[in-house]
Amino acid sequence: MTHNTLRNQNDFSILSKEWIQNPYPFYDQLREQQPIYWLSSITHKGWFITGYEEAINILKDQRFRVRKPLPRNTHKFKDLKYIQNEMMLYKNPPDHTRLRSMFQETFAQQAILQLKPLIEKTVDDLLNSVKSIGTMDVIQDFAFPLPSMIIAEILGIPKEDRHKVRSWTNQLLGVIDLTRTNHTLYKGNEIAQQVKEYFRDLLLKRKQMPKEDVISQLAQNTSLTEDEIMSSLILLLIAGHETTVNLIANSILTLLTHQEQMHLLKQNPSFIHSAIEECLRFESPTQITARYAAENIMVGNALFKRGEQIYIVLGAANRDPKKFSEPNQFDITRSPNPHLAFGAGTHYCLGSQLARLEAQIAVNSFIQRFDQITQLDPSPRWRKLAGFRALKSLPVSFTAK
Ligand code: HEM
C-alpha cells in the first residue's frame, strides 16, 4: 500500500482546537478510512494507528522500537536530553529490562495494596478540607494533590519540597507531547536543570543518611549509573503525578456527564473496579504513544519503512467497534474490558496497579460522600495536548452528607 494522504490536510491538524476538545470523531474518521493511516500534515508526518488489533500487535512487536525523544547530536536542550534519554520509557532491551527490574517490586500489586490506608487517609483529608465550602476545583483540590502526595511518599521526597516538585512535573509533561514547540523545549530545559540539581543533592544526602524509601535504595544501588537513577526518579514522578490526576478527573467528569451511570455506581459501590476500567477506556489519560520501525516491516498491506514514525492512538483503539460493542457508550459494568490505556508489551505501564487503586478510592469516596454534585463550567476545558487527555480545571458544587 502506498502512503495515503488526506485530501484536505489542514482540516485534519492534530493541533486543531476541535481535535483537542473532542478527538473521537477524528479518530473514527481515520479508522474508517484506514486503521493504519499515513498522515502527512504541515506539522506532523507519520503512521497513525487507530485500530485495536493493529495497535496491540505493534505494541507487542519488538521490531517497533521506542526512540529517544531528543537526538543526542543537538547541543540545545542539553539538560532535557540528559534526563530524558536515560528513561526506561525510551530504552529498548536489554537496558530496558535491567532498569525496569529495579522498580518491579516497589510497584507490584502486593506492595501497592499496603498503601491502601495511606491513600484512604489522604483522600479523607482532602475531602474534609473542602466539605464545608460546598464548591471545589476537582483538579486543584483533589485529583492533583492526591497522586503527587502518594508518589512523593513512595519515592521519599521531603514534605517541604513537594510543591516545587509538583510544578516541575506539570510543566515537563508538555515536553513529551506531540504539540511541543521550541518554546516548550526551552522552558523544559530550564526546569530539567533545576530538577537535575535537586535530585543530585537529595541522592547525596540519602547516600550519607539512608531512610526507608526508594531514593535511599537507589542511592545505595551500584548497578545503575547516576544518570539512570536521576532519569528514573523523574520518570516516576511525571508518570506518578500527571496521568493519575487525569484518570481521577476524567472519571469524575465522565460520571457527571452520564448521570444514570453515576447513580448506578452510587447505589453499587462494588462496581468501582469495572467503572474505573471503563473510565480508562472511555477517556484514556494517555491518548497517544510513539514507536518507530527499526527495519522495513510489512503489517497486513502496509509497509512501514525503516525509521518511520508511528503514533499508536490508544484512545482510538479503545473505541474500535471491532473490539468493543457500542464503543461510544459509557457503561460502568462493561466486561470484559481489555482496553489499552496502560499500553501493552514490554513497556506496559509500571504504575498501573497504583493508578487503579488511587482512582478507585478517590472516585468512590468522592461520589459516596457528596450529593448533588454539579459541574459549574458547562463545557470542559482541555489542556492543549494531543498525547494526553488532561483537563485544565473541573469546578463543581456539592452538598456534603
Ligand atoms: C508506561 C499509562 C500511571 C509509571 C506507561 C505506558 C502507558 C501508561 C500507556 C506505556 C507507554 C508506551 O508503551 O510507550 C499510564 C496511565 C496512568 C499511569 C494512563 C494513570 C492513569 C502511572 C503511575 C506510574 C507510572 C502511577 C508510577 C508511579 C510508568 C512507567 C512507564 C509507564 C515507569 C514506563 C514503563 C517501561 O518503559 O517499561 N504508562 N500510566 N504510570 N508508566 Fe504509566
Side-chain angles (χ1 to χ4, degrees), residues 373-392:
I373 308 163
T374 311
Q375 218 182 314
L376 295 176
D377 192 350
S379 52
R381 291 190 204 160
W382 298 97
R383 285 172 68 185
K384 195 172 178 263
L385 297 165
F388 303 93
R389 191 91 174 123
L391 286 164
K392 281 186 194 156

Side-chain angles (χ1 to χ4, degrees), residues 88-89 96 100 107 151 239 243 286 289 291 341-342 347 349 351 355:
M88 74 179 94
L89 189 57
H96 172 261
R100 187 171 163 123
F107 291 99
I151 192 72
T243 41
T286 306
T289 188
R291 295 289 186 271
F342 290 120
H347 289 274
C349 177

Side-chain angles (χ1 to χ4, degrees), residues 59 66 88-89 96 100 107 151 235-236 239-240 243-244 247 280 285-286 289-291 314 340-343 346-352 354-355:
L59 286 168
V66 287
M88 74 179 94
L89 189 57
H96 172 261
R100 187 171 163 123
F107 291 99
I151 192 72
L235 172 62
L236 291 172
T243 41
T244 315
L247 174 58
L280 279 159
T286 306
T289 188
R291 295 289 186 271
L314 304 173
L340 298 180
F342 290 120
T346 39
H347 289 274
Y348 182 81
C349 177
L350 184 69
S352 61
L354 174 61

Side-chain angles (χ1 to χ4, degrees), residues 25 155 184 225:
L155 298 181
T184 331
T225 65

Side-chain angles (χ1 to χ4, degrees), residues 50-199:
T50 50
Y52 182 95
E53 283 308 323
E54 293 79 359
I56 197 168
N57 288 339
I58 291 174
L59 286 168
K60 288 186 169 175
D61 187 332
Q62 295 286 331
R63 295 171 302 167
F64 293 99
R65 306 203 141 216
V66 287
R67 185 185 337 243
K68 299 200 188 316
L70 294 167
R72 270 190 190 276
N73 58 2
T74 54
H75 298 296
K76 281 189 267 173
F77 319 126
K78 183 164 68 64
D79 296 296
L80 205 52
K81 262 190 299 184
Y82 172 88
I83 58 168
Q84 284 194 352
N85 285 354
E86 297 304 320
M87 287 179 177
M88 74 179 94
L89 189 57
Y90 302 119
K91 292 232 181 200
N92 293 298
D95 280 343
H96 172 261
T97 323
R98 177 176 56 86
L99 259 174
R100 187 171 163 123
S101 68
M102 296 292 157
F103 300 93
Q104 210 85 39
E105 218 175 290
T106 308
F107 291 99
Q109 190 167 24
Q110 235 177 346
I112 294 303
L113 278 176
Q114 290 176 6
L115 294 169
K116 203 169 170 228
L118 173 70
I119 300 172
E120 282 168 345
K121 160 122 185 34
T122 313
V123 164
D124 265 0
D125 290 349
L126 288 168
L127 294 180
N128 280 340
S129 68
V130 292
K131 92 173 176 205
S132 61
I133 307 171
T135 59
M136 71 191 283
D137 175 6
V138 172
I139 304 273
Q140 284 312 317
D141 299 326
F142 190 46
F144 197 83
L146 173 68
S148 77
M149 283 177 192
I150 304 298
I151 192 72
E153 198 69 36
I154 299 174
L155 298 181
I157 312 259
K159 284 206 169 58
E160 62 277 14
D161 297 340
R162 291 183 187 172
H163 65 283
K164 183 165 66 184
V165 174
R166 258 192 228 172
S167 91
W168 286 337
T169 58
N170 200 259
Q171 297 180 67
L172 283 174
L173 192 67
V175 168
I176 51 172
D177 193 68
L178 269 74
T179 55
R180 73 183 180 194
T181 59
N182 256 0
H183 173 76
T184 331
L185 290 174
Y186 276 112
K187 186 85 201 123
N189 199 56
E190 264 172 46
I191 296 165
Q193 202 175 352
Q194 296 168 34
V195 179
K196 202 174 81 178
E197 277 162 25
Y198 173 77
F199 276 119

Side-chain angles (χ1 to χ4, degrees), residues 327-347:
N328 294 320
Q329 198 94 19
F330 176 66
D331 172 7
I332 63 162
T333 63
R334 188 182 289 272
S335 174
N337 193 344
H339 63 75
L340 298 180
F342 290 120
T346 39
H347 289 274

